[in-house]
Amino acid sequence: MTAYILNLVVLISIYAILSTTLNFIIGYAGIFSLAHAVFFGIGAYTSAFVAMNLTPSFFVAIPIAMVLAALTSLALALPALRVRGEYFVAASLGLQMLAVTLFSEWKGFTGGIGGVIGIPPVEIFGFALVKPWHFLILTLVCLALVIAIIQRLVHTSFGRSLKSIRDSESAALAAGKNITVIKTLSVVLSSSLTALAGGLYAFYMAFINVESFMLATSVLVMAMVIIGGTGTILGPIVGAALLMLLPGALSYLSFLPQTEIGSIQQIIYGSAMVLLMIYRPGGIVSPKTRGEAA
Amino acid sequence: MIRKRLPALTLAATLFSSSVALADDVSIGAVFPLSGPNASYGDVFMSGANLAAKHANEDHMLSGDLNVLYEDSQALPQHGVIAMNKLVNVEEVPYVLSAFTGVSKAISTLAQRSETVAVNGGGVGPDLAALGEYFWNVIPLANNEVGAASKYLVEELGLKRVTLIYVDDPLGAGILNELEKTLEPLGGELVEAHSITPSAQQFSGVAARVRSSNPDAVYIASYGAQQLQIVKQLRDNGVDQQIISYSAFSLPSLQALPEAKGALYTTQSIDWDSTDPVTKRFVDDYRAANGKTPTSYVANYYNAVRVFALLAKELEAQGKDVTGENLLAQRKATDKFELVGGSVSFQDNGTLLAPIQVLEVTGGAGEIKKVYAED
């Protein structure tokens, strides 16, 4: 039982990093991206490639993955962020579709559709993290770091600029803000931290394939942010925990047939989103309880 | 306060009681797609596994009742790992049925680390044979089928020049390797190999290249709706050479496709009319319960559970615990298993060796042309 709970907590932590980094651009900058799974995938594939061909060291594989994700996001952000809102959504959707094809076809790097198997355990200063609770500590430390970085950033002038762009791009422009640079930086930072989650995921699962980095994952992470509460620190973590625990919790309800759990889960997701938008548009962590919200 | 909360606590305890097996019962797990677009496969797999458990219990093969605990993978690797974790760490089962290549690969690491046997009965990608000694396949993989296809083409039909159209994935790559390996010693030749993406639907360009290379036969290594398109478009574009494929051609929609008539394909050889007691009982009971003849998927998952029952029975007779480690050791010590389809054995890599049959698409159930013994 302990191992099962550890497994769930590790996955929740990884998804909490994903939702926290997506919340950084959605909640604070007002940039809706449907390509978050792309950077998750770049992080995972790059870390796996480095671990299998160079070294499984955390301090080598993860930084390389983060740099590669940052560069890729720059390629998306620079042209796409020169336009407003919905155009970025369309551009990010295009990137997501392009990336899925690339992940499926670039066999030398991603293993193609068959994926990458046999990823070695991550090492820290030569110590291989084999036991689940070792990995849990690493994941929780990473999550805490990501939260600390983002919390620090949103309380700086950079964070205030992001919020001003989110609330009124025209007003921010009139106030002399360089909107393109600020938005680009936020996307680059978010993507590189997302790659950290990708690296952790690859090392934890020891197997990755394209099915984990498709549009459905981007939508799932977005649902975590919206259900949990955008523009808050706690909201995305609550959202990640809820959506990751729901399938497992439903499987313990013995009166529900296993064949219906997936459908019930989808109905609960959909209903929760609709009800939240009606009664609590800010998400579960509502504006009344979120002291840190803008 | 406690009195006020008691009904709620009782309800919660009842709801979360799960399907906990009795102390003497023997449980195995299954990670199947039970919801989502692939849920229909899960239903098919479950019907085979449940029937095998029922037969094992009727025969009192084990000291307690054999239960199969199902978890939903939705055919996705991450869900599969969560489900496998629950089965291994909460239910503590020693044996888990698996399906779908992505899920099977994802759970294989946990199977290896926890010394839990994971058994595939659905995927045929050759890479499934290399997932460690705790990962078994109770189904011959596609590469086993290719040898029989090559023999039939060259030795029986005299068709020596073969062109391959294959999906660019591990399954397609495995078939390409196997064709290269098996045709040449027989005096055949792989003239060309055309790779296609899994989502491709237009094949007129491939058909033109096939026509220009003028092979004696065309091997198609695809699956699902795509293989129907390939066959149809090859015929529409004037490719009238013999078409041959592997077990994916068993798909009812392909069997009904007029353009596919006369095509050859290979499958694991199971004679549904066999008088062999295991096969006969399986077929009769399945027909009685479902009103139709079982498919090879049903037989494979029946066999997967039966393999467990046979191994566990032997372990219990020896006074040993039914653990993954002991199941593996016992499988290695067992030469033959009496399963649906006949007496079969496992290769060292944990993959079943079974006879392969060559069939012709006739518009019905397929006509058996030749059966090749396991090799």
Side-chain angles (χ1 to χ4, degrees):
Chain A
M1 189 67 175
T2 312
Y4 176 59
I5 292 169
L6 283 179
N7 171 58
L8 280 178
V9 177
V10 168
L11 286 172
I12 288 169
S13 304
I14 291 171
Y15 273 83
I17 295 174
L18 282 179
S19 55
T20 301
T21 51
L22 182 64
N23 178 51
F24 180 64
I25 54 172
I26 288 184
Y28 295 104
I31 301 166
F32 283 80
S33 169
L34 281 172
H36 216 55
V38 174
F39 306 110
F40 184 40
I42 290 171
Y45 282 122
T46 308
S47 303
F49 187 83
V50 173
M52 295 176 80
N53 295 287
L54 190 63
T55 167
S57 168
F58 179 86
F59 297 109
V60 177
I62 298 289
I64 292 175
M66 290 173 73
V67 168
L68 201 63
L71 291 174
T72 313
S73 71
L74 201 62
L76 165 77
L78 278 176
L81 287 175
R82 298 181 76 84
V83 291
R84 291 188 187 210
E86 60 271 25
Y87 296 100
F88 186 81
V89 176
S92 66
L93 182 62
L95 179 70
Q96 175 69 62
M97 292 162 73
L98 187 71
V100 167
T101 308
L102 201 66
F103 291 161
S104 307
E105 297 300 322
W106 191 4
K107 281 189 231 162
F109 186 61
T110 66
I113 290 166
V116 183
I117 194 159
I119 301 165
V122 66
E123 287 180 9
I124 291 186
F125 302 121
F127 178 73
L129 304 187
V130 180
K131 293 190 183 300
W133 65 270
H134 289 163
F135 206 88
L136 175 68
I137 293 170
L138 174 68
T139 315
L140 289 174
V141 168
C142 289
L143 174 61
L145 270 175
V146 168
I147 292 170
I149 290 169
I150 287 177
Q151 193 163 23
R152 179 81 191 124
L153 269 177
V154 297
H155 288 100
T156 61
S157 63
F158 177 73
R160 285 190 290 277
S161 299
L162 278 181
K163 289 173 207 165
S164 69
I165 292 168
R166 177 195 65 190
D167 294 338
S168 172
E169 205 167 310
S170 303
L173 189 64
K177 303 286 182 194
N178 190 335
I179 291 172
T180 307
V181 170
I182 293 168
K183 283 164 92 174
T184 302
L185 277 177
S186 67
V187 170
V188 168
L189 181 78
S190 165
S191 304
S192 59
L193 291 175
T194 304
L196 164 65
L200 291 170
Y201 184 78
F203 282 120
Y204 183 65
M205 299 285 280
F207 163 77
I208 47 170
N209 76 349
V210 67
E211 289 167 13
S212 300
F213 313 114
M214 297 173 88
L215 181 62
T217 305
S218 290
V219 173
L220 175 70
V221 178
M222 189 174 274
M224 288 170 175
V225 174
I226 293 170
I227 289 174
T230 54
T232 68
I233 293 297
L234 196 58
I237 300 166
V238 171
L242 269 180
L243 294 198
M244 292 302 290
L245 285 174
L246 188 64
L250 286 176
S251 73
Y252 276 94
L253 300 180
S254 55
F255 62 90
L256 287 178
Q258 278 290 341
T259 48
E260 304 303 331
I261 283 176
S263 317
I264 292 168
Q265 186 187 315
Q266 294 304 321
I267 291 168
I268 293 175
Y269 287 166
S271 309
M273 295 276 270
V274 171
L275 291 172
L276 274 171
M277 289 307 102
I278 295 170
Y279 297 107
R280 220 177 173 90
I284 291 169
V285 181
S286 68
K288 282 179 186 173
T289 57
R290 54 178 173 173
E292 76 278 20
Chain B
M1 182 65 88
I2 289 173
R3 194 181 301 164
K4 276 186 184 173
R5 287 182 179 173
L6 199 57
L9 288 171
T10 311
L11 178 66
T14 310
L15 294 182
F16 285 86
S17 61
S18 179
S19 51
V20 177
L22 295 174
D24 291 340
D25 286 354
V26 181
S27 295
I28 60 172
V31 180
F32 288 163
L34 303 177
S35 63
N38 294 301
S40 55
Y41 283 99
D43 293 340
V44 173
F45 302 159
M46 280 169 73
S47 65
N50 288 339
L51 185 58
K54 180 173 170 266
H55 285 173
N57 292 335
E58 283 172 0
D59 296 347
H60 303 291
M61 288 176 77
L62 305 177
S63 55
D65 270 356
L66 175 59
N67 300 303
V68 187
L69 306 176
Y70 293 100
E71 288 291 330
D72 186 9
S73 70
Q74 297 182 29
L76 296 172
Q78 186 182 300
H79 284 79
V81 169
I82 293 173
M84 180 73 174
N85 248 294
K86 186 180 171 198
L87 288 169
V88 169
N89 296 312
V90 181
E91 309 292 355
E92 297 179 345
V93 299
Y95 192 89
V96 176
L97 311 180
S98 167
F100 282 78
T101 305
V103 174
S104 295
K105 284 181 165 183
I107 67 166
S108 64
T109 305
L110 182 55
Q112 197 71 21
R113 286 178 187 167
S114 63
E115 296 182 338
T116 304
V117 175
V119 185
N120 161 54
V124 292
D127 47 343
L128 291 171
L131 298 182
E133 59 179 357
Y134 282 91
F135 193 92
W136 307 352
N137 296 288
V138 289
I139 179 171
L141 302 179
N143 46 334
N144 294 108
E145 294 186 29
V146 175
S150 296
K151 271 186 200 165
Y152 190 77
L153 283 177
V154 176
E155 293 176 352
E156 302 295 323
L157 302 180
L159 304 176
K160 295 183 177 174
R161 301 178 73 251
V162 179
T163 286
L164 169 67
I165 300 171
Y166 70 103
V167 177
D168 197 7
D169 69 0
L171 177 114
I175 288 178
L176 169 64
N177 287 340
E178 208 61 28
L179 273 177
E180 285 173 337
K181 209 163 69 185
T182 56
L183 278 171
E184 206 178 308
L186 295 164
E189 177 193 0
L190 183 63
V191 183
E192 271 184 345
H194 303 283
S195 80
I196 53 173
T197 62
S199 55
Q201 289 295 318
Q202 294 301 321
F203 305 102
S204 49
V206 174
R209 279 180 289 167
V210 171
R211 215 172 45 230
S212 69
S213 66
N214 194 29
D216 296 332
V218 183
Y219 194 112
I220 297 172
S222 172
Y223 39 77
Q226 188 187 56
Q227 58 187 357
L228 276 77
Q229 285 298 328
I230 299 173
V231 172
K232 187 166 179 357
Q233 290 180 38
L234 284 178
R235 292 301 187 224
D236 289 350
N237 284 279
V239 177
D240 53 10
Q241 279 91 341
Q242 177 67 57
I243 287 175
I244 189 162
S245 186
Y246 70 107
S247 47
F249 262 36
S250 314
L251 200 69
S253 51
L254 189 131
Q255 296 285 326
L257 186 74
E259 287 85 353
K261 202 163 181 185
L264 299 169
Y265 63 105
T266 50
T267 67
Q268 177 182 355
S269 176
I270 299 178
D271 178 7
W272 302 120
D273 299 322
S274 168
T275 52
D276 151 55
V278 177
T279 308
K280 186 168 171 29
R281 182 187 189 193
F282 162 74
V283 174
D284 288 350
D285 285 6
Y286 186 85
R287 278 184 181 146
N290 300 279
K292 58 185 177 186
T293 303
T295 64
S296 57
Y297 282 138
V298 182
N300 292 335
Y301 283 100
Y302 180 96
N303 283 341
V305 176
R306 184 168 164 79
V307 165
F308 171 80
L310 291 167
L311 293 173
K313 181 185 176 187
E314 192 55 37
L315 288 175
E316 285 187 353
Q318 295 169 20
K320 292 181 181 171
D321 291 336
V322 182
T323 61
E325 191 183 2
N326 287 342
L327 287 166
L328 174 63
Q330 188 57 39
R331 192 214 81 206
K332 286 179 175 173
T334 309
D335 290 335
K336 292 278 181 189
F337 291 85
E338 299 305 320
L339 303 180
V340 169
S343 182
V344 295
S345 58
F346 279 89
Q347 299 175 71
D348 289 343
N349 64 9
T351 299
L352 195 77
L353 266 180
I356 301 292
Q357 61 190 6
V358 180
L359 301 101
E360 183 181 322
V361 178
T362 56
E367 183 188 329
I368 298 173
K369 307 299 283 185
K370 193 171 177 73
V371 177
Y372 288 95
E374 57 196 72
D375 57 12

